[in-house]
């Protein structure tokens, strides 16, 4: 039975609904971290131990959530993070996320490894779509992809720089998953016991002649699909990406250029010096380096180095007060990855709109209760770090 969306009141409700709908293989791929999941736990603890000291009698009955990102004013500080294979959660998933987010004025960053192509997503949310790039081993093919992205009308390119090797996610191997599904007795049983998902995501596209969902940003003749995910070496993620690649991208990409996955002040300085427009301070949702520091712990030292660059933060946002805290620590805006995916699984585009609206409502409540009226005025000294009490 599909959940009554009005009964889902907080992120955990959406997560529970997502867990029910999805086979374990996909739920764990979406939900979990890497290795021993230490970064996942500590990232969460770092947000929780920050407490907000309210100012009283400020007359704050109306709050302004607008913010400045990459030279534009956005109505809210949210951006949907790039998440690979969202289109396997619900068919057309990336386009549903984009159209739902657009209704709230929230930009969406489409992943290189999406199931829905950039052209379709850009049509679903005109002017509201960014693109996330993984540099492939074959740089020429990477540049060809960028031509396509540009032709679709994208202005903002986000290059992910924190995934130089495959992270260790043991549950994926156990579940028979590696950017696609491997048939093992366990995975077949898992999928068979989620018939609603199996019909919507796998069988219906087949019956309707749409074929097996694939990765449309890959060159057509090399395109992996979700049942045959093996990638041609030329389009595997490059392990040898350096600052020279980024300098070259800065020359060829005329729009806004953002680096995602930065955690050190030195890298922020270097990015600024070569004319990068923004950075995403991120642990990739605690899915890559399990020993990475918590974003909340490093953010202030990075924003100090950023100068005029836009600083976006992500990883671990589950409630409005998390957004408040990352903005008070100096971020201009935040990205959310898993939350829109929980919403998508729970209720398609409507689920996405609801979970993003819920997050914004929670942010408004946090601002009201802490006596703040404008995000642009949040300050570090409104936060108290109760380190050691968790
Ligand atoms: C299922 C899933 C797939 C992801 N795929 C990508 C990706 O292809 N490229 C990328 O740069 N980040 C990817 N990320 C990381 C997100 O962009 C983002 O940094 C992270 O999800 C933020 O943390 P949160 O999920 O706690 O909000 C992915 C995250 C998830 C949950």
């Amino acid at each position: 039975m599909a959940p009554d969306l009005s009964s889902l009141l907080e992120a955990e409700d959406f997560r529970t609904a997502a867990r029910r709908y999805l086979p374990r293989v996909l739920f764990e791929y979406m939900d979990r971290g890497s290795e021993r999941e230490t970064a996942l736990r500590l990232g969460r603890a770092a947000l929780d131990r920050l407490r907000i000291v309210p100012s009283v009698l400020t007359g704050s009955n109306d709050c302004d959530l607008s913010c400045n990102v990459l030279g534009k004013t956005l109505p809210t500080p949210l951006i949907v993070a790039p998440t690979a294979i969202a289109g396997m959660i619900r068919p057309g998933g990336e386009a549903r996320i984009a159209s739902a987010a657009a209704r709230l004025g929230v930009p969406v960053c489409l992943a290189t490894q999406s199931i829905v192509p950039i052209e379709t997503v850009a049509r679903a949310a005109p002017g509201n779509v960014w693109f996330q790039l993984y540099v492939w081993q074959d740089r020429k093919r990477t540049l060809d992809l960028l031509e396509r992205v540009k032709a679709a009308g994208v202005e903002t390119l986000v290059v992910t720089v924190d995934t130089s090797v495959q992270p260790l996610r043991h549950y994926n191997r156990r579940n028979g998953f590696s950017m696609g599904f491997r048939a093992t007795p366990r995975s077949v049983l898992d999928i068979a016991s989620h018939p609603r998902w199996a019909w919507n995501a796998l069988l219906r596209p087949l019956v309707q002649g749409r074929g097996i969902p694939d990765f449309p940003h890959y060159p057509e003749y090399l395109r992996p699909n979700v049942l045959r995910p093996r990638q041609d070496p030329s389009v595997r993620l490059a392990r040898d990406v350096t600052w020279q690649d980024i300098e070259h991208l800065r020359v060829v990409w005329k729009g806004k250029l953002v680096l995602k996955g930065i955690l050190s002040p030195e890298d922020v300085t270097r990015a600024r010096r070569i004319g990068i427009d923004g950075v995403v301070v991120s642990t990739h949702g605690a899915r890559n380096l399990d020993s990475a520091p918590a974003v909340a712990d490093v953010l202030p030292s990075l924003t100090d180095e950023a100068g005029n660059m836009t600083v976006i933060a992500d990883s671990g946002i589950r409630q409005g007060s998390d957004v408040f805290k990352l903005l008070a620590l100096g971020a201009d805006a935040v990205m959310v990855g898993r939350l829109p995916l929980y919403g998508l699984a729970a209720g398609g585009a409507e689920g996405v709109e609801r979970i993003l609206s819920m997050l914004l409502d929670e942010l408004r409540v946090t601002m009201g209760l802490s006596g703040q009226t404008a995000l642009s005025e949040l300050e570090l000294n409104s936060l108290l770090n109760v380190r050691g009490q968790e």
Side-chain angles (χ1 to χ4, degrees):
M1 266 254 302
D4 166 14
L5 290 179
S6 64
S7 69
L8 307 182
L9 302 181
E10 52 185 321
E12 195 55 32
D13 298 340
F14 284 87
R15 180 170 177 264
T16 304
R19 189 202 284 272
R20 285 205 188 106
Y21 176 68
L22 296 173
R24 179 191 188 123
V25 49
L26 199 53
F27 179 76
E28 291 201 342
Y29 165 70
M30 170 181 84
D31 191 62
R32 295 189 63 179
S34 62
E35 300 184 32
R36 297 181 60 217
E37 300 187 310
T38 311
L40 201 58
R41 279 192 305 281
L42 294 190
R44 189 60 256 160
L47 282 166
D48 282 339
R49 73 171 177 248
L50 284 171
R51 307 278 82 202
I52 299 166
V53 184
S55 298
V56 298
L57 302 174
T58 59
S60 62
N61 61 353
D62 216 9
C63 56
D64 176 10
L65 298 189
S66 67
C67 62
N68 197 288
V69 171
L70 300 169
K72 282 192 182 154
T73 302
L74 293 181
T76 87
L78 305 185
I79 299 154
V80 174
T83 51
I85 62 174
M88 286 313 293
I89 292 178
R90 297 264 178 188
E94 291 91 350
R96 294 191 203 211
I97 292 177
S99 56
R103 288 196 281 279
L104 301 169
V106 172
V108 165
C109 185
L110 185 69
T112 295
Q113 294 171 327
S114 69
I115 303 286
V116 178
I118 182 64
E119 294 80 4
T120 310
V121 177
R123 272 196 304 276
N128 213 43
V129 180
W130 303 5
F131 189 81
Q132 175 266 330
L133 182 75
Y134 275 134
V135 175
W136 288 328
Q137 279 182 26
D138 185 330
R139 306 297 201 268
K140 165 80 175 59
R141 292 203 158 116
T142 311
L143 294 180
D144 291 346
L145 173 60
L146 286 190
E147 283 299 317
R148 197 176 145 187
V149 167
K150 197 172 116 207
V154 171
E155 283 174 16
T156 303
L157 183 70
V158 176
V159 185
T160 299
V161 292
D162 62 5
T163 314
S164 51
V165 296
Q166 276 294 327
L168 294 173
R169 301 181 192 152
H170 304 305
Y171 51 89
N172 281 342
R173 287 189 68 179
R174 287 192 194 104
N175 291 338
F177 184 86
S178 142
M179 293 315 287
F181 306 91
R182 201 159 30 83
T184 64
R186 181 173 162 151
S187 66
V188 171
L189 190 67
D190 175 26
I191 289 175
S193 55
H194 292 82
R196 263 195 325 132
W197 175 83
W199 168 249
N200 286 332
L202 279 178
L203 299 176
R204 188 153 52 188
L206 278 178
V207 170
Q208 292 177 342
R210 285 184 278 135
I212 303 167
D214 63 13
F215 296 93
H217 297 129
Y218 288 69
E220 209 165 349
Y221 47 97
L222 298 173
R223 195 167 287 173
N225 67 43
V226 298
L227 298 182
R228 201 196 53 223
R230 231 186 82 76
Q231 288 164 355
D232 184 85
S234 66
V235 287
R236 291 210 186 116
L237 306 198
R239 292 173 162 222
D240 57 351
V241 185
T242 66
W243 284 100
Q244 278 179 336
D245 287 282
I246 303 299
E247 282 171 25
H248 184 54
L249 284 173
R250 179 61 293 182
V251 174
V252 296
W253 183 262
K254 306 292 180 211
K256 300 290 181 191
L257 190 59
V258 176
L259 299 185
K260 174 171 181 287
I262 289 208
L263 288 166
S264 95
E266 292 75 23
D267 287 342
V268 173
T269 308
R270 192 145 184 189
R272 179 167 46 79
R273 289 206 179 123
I274 62 170
I276 298 300
D277 300 292
V279 291
V280 185
V281 181
S282 168
T283 61
H284 210 108
R287 297 164 66 79
N288 279 5
L289 177 66
D290 195 33
S291 299
V295 165
D297 286 338
V298 295
L299 191 53
S301 66
L302 272 67
T303 51
D304 284 350
E305 292 299 317
N308 290 332
M309 279 194 300
T310 290
V311 177
I312 299 168
D314 80 11
S315 299
I317 292 174
R318 299 291 178 271
Q319 57 204 14
S321 55
D322 298 336
V323 180
F324 180 109
K325 289 172 184 177
L326 291 178
L327 296 176
L329 290 172
D332 297 301
V334 299
M335 278 186 169
V336 281
R338 291 178 183 83
L339 291 189
L341 298 183
Y342 296 155
L344 181 67
E350 196 190 339
V352 175
E353 194 172 342
R354 274 184 181 265
I355 200 164
L356 294 177
S357 304
M358 174 204 80
L359 192 62
L360 291 171
D361 286 344
E362 290 171 349
L363 175 60
R364 284 189 196 94
V365 170
T366 305
M367 290 190 63
L369 291 177
S370 51
Q372 304 288 343
T373 46
L375 285 185
S376 50
E377 284 161 25
L378 295 190
E379 282 185 5
L380 196 55
N381 62 14
S382 64
L383 295 180
L384 183 69
N385 196 334
V386 290
R387 194 177 286 270
Q389 291 190 11
E390 71 262 15

